Amino acid sequence: MAAAEKTDIKSMNEQELEAMLSQMGQPRFRSGQIYKWLHQGVKSFDEMTNIPVLLREKLVENCYISHAAIEKKLISAYDGTVKYLFSFADGETVESVLMKYHHGYTSCVSTQAGCKMGCDFCATGKGGFRRNLTASEILSQIQAEQLDNNLRISNIVLMGMGEPLDNYDNVIRFLELVSSEHGLNIGMRHISLSTCGIVPRIYELADKKLQLTLSVSLHAPNDEIRSATMPVNKKYPIDELLKACRYYAEKTGRRISFEYAMIDGVNDSDACARELAHRIRGILSHVNLIPVNSVSGSDYRKSRSDRLKSFIDILASSGITATVRRTLGSDINASCGQLRSSVVKSSRGECK
Ligand code: SAH
Ligand code: SF4
């Protein structure tokens, strides 16, 4: 069978795997054994030592096991944050970051190679869109990091390259796999999904009542500023987005995390803080302020620290909690999109 026609076995859930194996005339317990191997991160069917050779051969013939190969790895000298550039079978590359917090290890994974959304401050957005990742390719990033460092990851943030809600079906499938009892068994409460605001998908996700944390990349208090930096806002303006956020919080009982990249002279005035407070008042939420990372090709600069303080004070006086997000791996450009873009550029000979 041609490679492209083979089944992506690691993207199958337990029931689907069981159905496929039963069609192959296999007893039920085999699917449990194979599911376990896949979720331990094996790269080939040969590693499944308790599976009969004939069945392994049949699986090789019909299926493939996707995996994330380490192309490049940078380790922060400050805090041990590890940034990976992974490649998949077709040569597409994505970034992922492994971070250590007091409560354990967190992996920030990519959901797409590139992104269609074109946010002006984002290195991924500037690089354009390549393709969606499959559920198994999202999962493989976590597995590769666990195996490379011999540790267990306890938290996941879907905040790497790509817009998760623009790859909705694969992301939902990934969530099912990664939280499954016989998989990595990482609970939804330990997973955050970050979106630029694809409104209809937020409603869909809310109706699933998954208990995961929704992070919304707001970055502006009004349509004028938001549309100038985030094209998605022209399709789904702030009022519609916040209505969907309110719905998500009410439906799930989960606090929304609003991400707000502080950009010098663009969105960091006291008036912006007051407008933001007015807009999000009453939504069960928390605001994360992130001093913007400069990326090549845009001249946005980080806000001064007195701006951050003033923003926090103004939000607090309206009863809204805001904190400055701890930046990890600042010496290795840990925010996603930057490593890949430098590698892609250098391979095209555009920069050193
Ligand atoms: N596409 C999703 C998730 C990936 S981006 C989203 O946009 O939410 C992850 C986070 O990094 C988002 O909050 C995004 O707005 C933010 N981000 C992108 N470029 C940044 C930069 N240069 N500085 C600070 N945050 C940035
Ligand atoms: Fe895409 Fe998110 Fe970057 Fe915007 S910030 S371009 S949605 S990855």
Side-chain angles (χ1 to χ4, degrees):
M1 191 185 276
E5 291 161 18
K6 289 188 179 184
T7 300
D8 172 10
I9 191 169
K10 206 160 71 183
S11 284
M12 293 178 120
N13 65 27
E14 288 176 271
Q15 296 86 318
E16 289 163 344
L17 190 60
E18 202 178 307
M20 182 178 82
L21 285 158
S22 115
Q23 273 192 347
M24 290 177 169
Q26 293 296 321
R28 215 168 150 195
F29 69 91
R30 286 278 176 239
S31 69
Q33 291 175 319
I34 294 172
Y35 192 84
K36 263 197 192 143
W37 282 116
L38 292 169
H39 288 261
Q40 279 167 18
V42 295
K43 292 177 195 157
S44 77
F45 292 103
D46 285 344
E47 290 173 64
M48 301 182 175
T49 45
N50 57 357
I51 304 298
V53 175
L54 273 179
L55 175 56
R56 281 191 243 159
E57 283 171 1
K58 210 164 173 186
L59 290 171
V60 171
E61 176 72 10
N62 294 289
C63 306
Y64 71 94
I65 303 174
S66 71
H67 110 102
I70 301 172
E71 284 295 315
K72 204 167 171 171
K73 177 174 159 183
L74 296 175
I75 304 171
S76 166
Y78 298 157
D79 52 42
T81 296
V82 190
K83 179 161 185 164
Y84 290 92
L85 184 72
F86 289 123
S87 68
F88 299 112
D90 64 351
E92 279 304 336
T93 54
V94 298
E95 296 178 13
S96 178
V97 183
L98 175 67
M99 298 162 283
K100 187 174 194 308
Y101 287 100
H102 57 272
H103 53 265
Y105 289 94
T106 297
S107 174
C108 171
V109 293
S110 292
T111 54
Q112 297 179 313
C115 184
K116 294 176 203 156
M117 301 299 145
C119 303
D120 208 19
F121 46 77
C122 173
T124 304
K126 294 207 167 289
F129 178 71
R130 302 287 303 175
R131 68 167 173 84
N132 282 329
L133 299 193
T134 60
S136 61
E137 286 172 335
I138 305 172
L139 183 64
S140 294
Q141 298 167 55
I142 300 165
Q143 292 178 327
E145 287 167 3
Q146 291 202 150
L147 291 170
D148 187 42
N149 298 282
N150 193 26
L151 50 80
R152 246 188 84 75
I153 286 164
S154 52
N155 293 269
I156 301 166
V157 293
L158 300 178
M159 282 194 189
M161 302 172 77
E163 168 49 49
L165 297 187
D166 185 43
N167 185 15
Y168 187 81
D169 292 343
N170 289 334
V171 164
I172 295 295
R173 181 171 280 270
F174 158 75
L175 292 171
E176 182 191 349
L177 296 176
V178 80
S179 61
S180 68
E181 192 192 337
H182 301 117
L184 292 181
N185 199 9
I186 299 176
M188 291 291 175
R189 285 175 181 270
H190 297 272
I191 305 176
S192 296
L193 182 153
S194 179
T195 178
C196 65
I198 316 265
V199 167
R201 298 302 199 189
I202 295 177
Y203 284 106
E204 232 174 293
L205 193 64
D207 288 337
K208 287 191 175 289
K209 297 192 182 166
L210 286 183
Q211 294 300 298
L212 54 82
T213 300
L214 185 68
S215 289
V216 174
S217 301
L218 201 55
H219 303 324
N222 58 46
D223 287 327
E224 196 188 337
I225 299 177
R226 197 164 192 264
S227 292
T229 49
M230 301 179 72
V232 68
N233 194 70
K234 291 175 193 148
K235 190 157 182 195
Y236 304 115
I238 288 198
D239 279 346
E240 277 184 43
L241 174 56
L242 294 180
K243 208 168 133 194
C245 291
R246 218 176 276 274
Y247 182 83
Y248 188 92
E250 280 164 12
K251 199 87 187 176
T252 62
R254 306 283 295 161
R255 193 174 291 275
I256 304 278
S257 174
F258 287 115
E259 309 299 308
Y260 197 102
M262 294 284 283
I263 313 175
D264 183 36
V266 173
N267 62 359
D268 64 348
S269 66
D270 286 353
C272 284
R274 282 191 291 271
E275 200 174 354
L276 177 67
H278 176 71
R279 272 243 150 83
I280 65 174
R281 194 174 293 151
I283 304 179
L284 182 64
S285 64
H286 177 89
V287 175
N288 263 321
L289 299 175
I290 315 139
V292 76
N293 274 297
S294 306
V295 299
S296 65
S298 91
D299 33 57
Y300 293 132
R301 259 180 261 286
K302 281 185 177 47
S303 300
R304 296 190 321 260
S305 55
D306 61 305
R307 287 284 82 231
L308 289 156
K309 188 177 176 316
S310 179
F311 231 78
I312 290 174
D313 291 346
I314 291 170
L315 291 173
S317 67
S318 295
I320 296 162
T321 58
T323 44
V324 177
R325 198 205 277 162
R326 198 177 138 212
T327 47
L328 291 173
S330 52
D331 54 334
I332 55 167
N333 278 344
S335 63
C336 272
Q338 300 184 5
L339 176 63
R340 180 179 180 275
S341 64
S342 69
V343 169
V344 170
K345 274 185 197 147
S346 59
S347 66
R348 289 193 195 127
E350 286 171 19
C351 77
K352 294 191 263 125

